Amino acid sequence: MRVVLLGKPGSGKGTQARRIAKAKGIPQISTGDLIRAAIAAGSPLGLQFQEYADKGLLVPDDLVLALIEERLKQDDSTHGFLLDGFPRTIPQAEALAQWLIKAGMPLDAVLNMQVPDSALIERAEGRRFCGHCGSSFHVKFAPSKEDGVCDNCGHELKQRADDRADVVMNRVGVYKEKTAPLLDFYRSRQLLRDIDGLGTPQEVGDRIEVALKRNPGP
Ligand code: AMP
């Protein structure tokens, strides 16, 4: 199964991406994770990425395309994948379509996580992650047992630099300008499935399960 997950920052993409990838036995490929890993490694490319990511701006298409093309060549992607945070612009979507046509691996579905703007700041600002094992929490919706400490491995929980309210607002603006046009791009290709993203991760996950079984609408 080859799936793309679209949604504004704070719409629950990452949480659902992990659930779907686990349930379907496919890799979750997140350009945000790849970019954060390059930043953490301190490579010259990582330093370039940081300039954009810290401000909530998109990394230029050519750099992201080079990164994702490398990742899609890995063996674990041949039997399917879930793309989380990619594509985010029309040129990225067009490049992906070209690769997949060439490889004879069309997309099965594009999920559009719908969450009203009013819910995004609270969701994004409360997010915490463990830099050691990657577990994620939310101070209100999925708190760790001990404040600031990972339930899984006991390391300190951190907040992403771009989850501050002002940066989240920038990211939502960038989404509306650059990423929202992908909804029509995929709707016109009969791939888009709208998902109500409000509710518990289980409730949203159940809606996704149903949507993935359904034929796409007109
Ligand atoms: P995310 O974790 O998906 O919210 O991504 C974090 C940041 O990485 C974004 O705010 C961008 O700066 C960058 N990024 C991730 N994916 C892309 C993409 N497909 N195109 C451009 N920039 C991206």
Side-chain angles (χ1 to χ4, degrees), residues 41-195:
S43 63
L45 200 56
L47 291 178
Q48 278 192 61
F49 290 159
Q50 189 159 24
E51 303 245 331
Y52 298 95
D54 279 358
K55 296 187 192 117
L57 299 174
L58 292 185
V59 168
D61 287 336
D62 53 340
L63 298 181
V64 176
L65 289 173
L67 196 69
I68 191 95
E69 192 173 9
E70 258 329 286
R71 180 61 187 84
L72 285 174
K73 279 186 194 153
Q74 291 178 21
D75 287 348
D76 63 347
S77 304
T78 46
H79 300 296
F81 49 74
L82 182 130
L83 295 177
D84 161 16
F86 178 88
R88 257 173 154 107
T89 64
I90 292 282
Q92 291 181 15
E94 282 169 345
L96 175 66
Q98 288 305 317
W99 293 336
L100 296 181
I101 287 171
K102 232 169 145 187
M105 304 195 314
L107 287 176
D108 295 296
V110 175
L111 303 172
N112 173 32
M113 304 279 291
Q114 297 182 304
V115 172
D117 284 3
S118 54
L120 298 174
I121 300 257
E122 186 183 35
R123 281 182 168 215
E125 259 203 321
R127 287 203 288 221
R128 299 291 181 271
F129 73 98
C130 175
H132 185 71
C133 74
S135 298
S136 57
F137 300 88
H138 191 284
V139 291
K140 183 165 169 195
F141 304 122
S144 54
K145 290 194 188 85
E146 192 183 335
D147 196 24
V149 179
C150 178
D151 287 356
N152 192 37
C153 70
H155 283 76
E156 187 195 354
L157 296 180
K158 298 180 180 159
Q159 184 182 27
R160 272 172 52 174
D162 61 352
D163 273 345
R164 291 196 334 260
D166 55 331
V167 185
V168 175
M169 285 318 295
N170 280 349
R171 291 164 64 203
V172 172
V174 169
Y175 171 89
K176 289 183 179 169
E177 188 193 339
K178 308 265 192 201
T179 307
L182 296 186
L183 301 180
D184 279 343
F185 180 93
Y186 286 122
R187 193 174 281 120
S188 68
R189 287 160 177 75
Q190 270 100 52
L191 286 168
L192 197 76
R193 293 154 204 216
D194 290 323
I195 307 292

Side-chain angles (χ1 to χ4, degrees), residues 10-31:
S11 62
K13 275 194 317 294
T15 303
Q16 294 303 329
R18 282 187 288 279
R19 292 174 69 98
I20 301 166
K22 195 168 165 206
K24 306 285 176 202
I26 51 178
Q28 171 199 0
I29 302 182
S30 154
T31 39

Side-chain angles (χ1 to χ4, degrees), residues 190-208:
Q190 270 100 52
L191 286 168
L192 197 76
R193 293 154 204 216
D194 290 323
I195 307 292
D196 175 0
L198 286 180
T200 63
Q202 180 71 46
E203 286 163 348
V204 178
D206 289 347
R207 289 178 204 135
I208 290 177

